[in-house]
Amino acid sequence: MSENPKNNSVFTMKNANGLEVECEILFTFDSEQTKKSYLIYTDNTKDEMGSLKVYANTYDPSGSSMNLLPIETEEEWNTIEAILSKLEESRDKNE
């Protein structure tokens, strides 16, 4: 699994209400286990606890499809959560 930071990359998507929202790509990674590519991003809003809202989807890295697809399995969510935890721990050590 390789992580590819995409700092300062921005894209626009429509939210559940049909409004266009600007999102920032935090990083992408490919999973050898699932054979999928993942996009981790934020719309730079905060939740009730003041934490940055982060989202994850699968995507086609070839660019032939611009659609973001949902995470389908618990295994995928566990992988994403483990990477996010690792990155947060690394950030905390560097502060």
Side-chain angles (χ1 to χ4, degrees), residues 10-74:
V10 175
F11 66 97
T12 302
M13 64 182 288
K14 289 190 178 183
N15 66 13
N17 299 324
L19 300 173
E20 287 192 354
V21 177
E22 190 172 273
C23 298
E24 179 182 353
I25 298 172
L26 300 174
F27 65 94
T28 63
F29 71 95
D30 300 314
S31 171
E32 292 178 19
Q33 294 170 326
T34 64
K35 307 293 187 231
K36 293 181 182 180
S37 296
Y38 297 89
L39 173 68
I40 311 303
Y41 61 97
T42 181
D43 60 4
N44 289 305
T45 59
K46 306 242 174 159
D47 64 15
E48 310 81 42
M49 303 294 288
S51 298
L52 186 67
K53 290 183 181 179
V54 175
Y55 305 93
N57 287 92
T58 61
Y59 77 104
D60 179 359
S62 73
S64 62
S65 171
M66 299 304 288
N67 293 331
L68 297 179
L69 302 171
I71 307 302
E72 298 176 327
T73 68
E74 188 72 26

